[in-house]
Amino acid sequence: MIPSTTLKLMTRPLYVASRSFVSGEPARPTIKTEIPGPQSAILLKDLDSIQAMKSVQFFVDYDKSLGNYIVDADGNTMLDVFTSISSIPLGYNHPNMLKAFDSDHAKKVLINRPALGVYPGNDWVDQLRNVLLSCAPPGLDQVITMMCGSCSNENAFKLMYFKYMDKVRGGIPPNDEAMKSCLDNLSPGTPRLSVLSFHGGFHGRTPGALACTHSKSIHKIDVPLYDWPVADFPRYKYPLEENTQENTAEDKRCLDKVEEILERQTKNSNPCVGIIVEPIQAEGGDHHGSANFFQGLQDICKKHDIVYLVDEVQTGGGPTGKMWAHEYFNLRDAPDIVTFSKKMLTGGLYHKPDLRPNNAYQIFNTWVGDPSKLILLDSVLKTIRQDKLLETTLKAGDVLLSGLRRLENQFPSLLHSARGIGTFCAVDADTSARRDQILAKLRTEGVHCGGCGETAIRIRPALIFETKHANIFIESLEKVLKTF
């Protein structure tokens, strides 16, 4: 049950094509070879001789890639609706990004990368305030930079622990026994605490984040992890408007389960210090939750006095038509923590003041982020505002979702459950095998797309993705579906 504001967006009429935001962008895909082609095959073999990276799909000529189009090593030009797993905000070689390091000052920031936790540049505070805080989630005015989504979540967990243990001690600093015992990973300095996550969630591949990740076995197999609890995330029936009663009951079932788990963890002396949740379970299959569900989670966190962490690593930065997807949920106040990366180009976390660590080095690593990424992000944010890209995203998203719904009605045995906010869209195939066949055939049509979960086709274009690109995608998908 997506918020009513979102449902209104989903029912808008189609829009006509507009100008390209990147001059010289190809008009359509062009395919010369199979994908991966012979040059990619040579490079794959060469790579394999020095690095085990069997996840590589094809090699890219980033010099030739432009706008919404990615060009592979064999010269195939594809409409890219996957964008390095939703990580390229303005497409390829956007002119505003290319000139971000034109100034001598920017170049010096790039080459003199500081250890920000101890020796930040004299303009670092201005960068934080003018760039990261300029797009902060409403109600959050504290920010910590990191390098990626995983380390952002790991450090968010630490803030949860610190707050909980400070409450347990009544604000008194840890004693000598605690300080000594933690060096041997023993109590009382190493307490038994947990974080609640959800089936289908993905939060990273480092140990704490991985303990909260429940989307694919290959992420976790053979890795020792914390014994942390996991709850059910809603699984709705589509179309939403035809299944209101069932989906409302699903929200209640999942919220009741969260309450039950929190109480059990306290009884088992392994209390939950917080809940981590994605606005849309991206890796797990693009599962949506309603405003009612997310409001309910916040109410539960307040009731139990634990931290509400919203992981916006994939949804943050504009792909839903708002900078932050949780803005659609009309929460009573801001989440306690919002983590980010991907389209934001740097990792990090926004948080409330009561989560500030008490001591130096409690949240720390050598780099604590990279100021050069904020130079790039500044260019992205200015371009979003200048070109009204959030509006563009909503318009393109309307065309995408309308097209997906038309295709699922046209091919009901192949597709179902079209859903999305902005261009953050997905549709399910009837089987995993069919989904993979559709993705492969889309490449032969010149469209690079991705999958997630068991059967979902996920769409993750750049913010410069327009209605004309959406129409090319829908046209290509229809052509592929007809082959079945």
Side-chain angles (χ1 to χ4, degrees), residues 3 5 38 44 57 62 66 91 107 151 185 187 222 239 256 291 300 322 356 361 388 402 467 473:
T5 51
L44 281 166
Q57 298 179 25
Y62 286 105
L66 188 64
K107 290 173 184 174
C151 58
N185 304 332
S187 179
D222 295 334
D256 288 346
I300 290 171
K322 292 182 181 288
R356 287 171 65 100
Y361 298 102
K388 299 181 179 179
S402 297
T467 57
F473 173 79

Side-chain angles (χ1 to χ4, degrees), residues 181-212:
S181 62
C182 75
L183 296 177
D184 295 317
N185 304 332
L186 298 175
S187 179
T190 303
R192 190 165 180 243
L193 303 172
S194 59
V195 175
L196 175 64
S197 53
F198 292 89
H199 290 295
F202 181 90
H203 302 288
R205 293 180 173 87
T206 49
L210 195 56
C212 293

Side-chain angles (χ1 to χ4, degrees), residues 19 25 28 112 143 219 225 248 326 342 368 383 397 412:
R19 65 177 177 83
E25 180 188 79
R28 296 192 65 87
N112 295 305
V143 66
H219 296 148
L225 295 169
T248 299
H326 75 265
K342 292 193 180 287
V368 202
T383 303

Side-chain angles (χ1 to χ4, degrees), residues 57-116:
Q57 298 179 25
F58 56 84
F59 284 79
V60 179
D61 187 335
Y62 286 105
D63 286 341
K64 294 180 180 177
S65 299
L66 188 64
N68 291 281
Y69 287 84
I70 188 171
V71 179
D72 74 1
D74 290 276
N76 297 300
T77 301
M78 293 171 278
L79 177 66
D80 190 359
V81 297
F82 197 44
T83 59
S84 287
I85 321 176
S86 197
S87 296
I88 302 173
L90 301 183
Y92 299 100
N93 292 311
H94 192 287
N96 292 348
M97 299 293 275
L98 290 176
K99 64 185 181 183
F101 293 106
D102 279 357
S103 73
D104 286 342
H105 172 72
K107 290 173 184 174
K108 289 172 182 176
V109 170
L110 182 63
I111 67 169
N112 295 305
R113 182 183 178 187
L116 289 168

Side-chain angles (χ1 to χ4, degrees), residues 185-389:
N185 304 332
L186 298 175
S187 179
T190 303
R192 190 165 180 243
L193 303 172
S194 59
V195 175
L196 175 64
S197 53
F198 292 89
H199 290 295
F202 181 90
H203 302 288
R205 293 180 173 87
T206 49
L210 195 56
C212 293
T213 289
H214 312 281
S215 50
K216 290 182 182 177
S217 299
I218 196 62
H219 296 148
K220 303 177 65 130
I221 189 68
D222 295 334
V223 180
L225 295 169
Y226 302 125
D227 182 18
W228 285 355
V230 55
D232 290 342
F233 190 86
R235 296 292 185 264
Y236 296 143
K237 293 183 179 180
Y238 289 85
L240 294 173
E241 60 273 14
E242 296 177 12
N243 296 280
T244 303
Q245 186 174 348
E246 294 91 334
N247 293 336
T248 299
E250 175 68 352
D251 278 346
K252 184 178 186 306
R253 183 188 71 82
C254 292
L255 291 170
D256 288 346
K257 186 69 173 177
V258 168
E259 284 268 27
E260 175 188 320
I261 290 171
L262 292 178
E263 292 169 3
R264 184 188 70 211
Q265 290 297 116
T266 299
K267 289 178 182 177
N268 292 343
S269 300
N270 188 14
C272 289
V273 296
I275 291 174
I276 183 170
V277 66
E278 299 161 275
I280 302 169
Q281 287 191 327
E283 293 294 323
D286 264 41
H287 300 295
H288 288 244
S290 70
N292 177 69
F293 174 72
F294 284 98
Q295 291 169 11
L297 283 182
Q298 186 173 54
D299 290 343
I300 290 171
C301 287
K302 288 184 179 297
K303 173 183 174 182
H304 292 268
D305 193 20
I306 61 175
V307 175
Y308 190 27
L309 192 172
V310 178
D311 179 344
E312 292 245 28
V313 167
Q314 193 160 148
T315 52
T320 65
K322 292 182 181 288
M323 280 302 295
W324 306 102
H326 75 265
E327 293 181 75
Y328 283 104
F329 302 144
N330 300 315
L331 298 177
R332 290 165 181 81
D333 59 76
D336 298 299
I337 302 176
V338 174
T339 52
F340 59 88
S341 190
K342 292 193 180 287
K343 274 187 169 63
M344 294 289 286
L345 300 181
T346 184
L349 52 148
Y350 297 102
H351 65 88
K352 290 182 176 176
D354 66 334
L355 284 158
R356 287 171 65 100
N358 293 324
N359 302 296
Y361 298 102
Q362 283 189 290
I363 300 295
F364 186 82
N365 57 54
T366 300
W367 304 118
V368 202
D370 182 344
S372 69
K373 300 300 183 186
L374 266 65
I375 292 175
L376 292 173
L377 179 59
D378 185 41
S379 182
V380 169
L381 295 175
K382 288 175 178 175
T383 303
I384 288 174
R385 296 168 188 137
Q386 170 190 306
D387 291 343
K388 299 181 179 179
L389 294 184

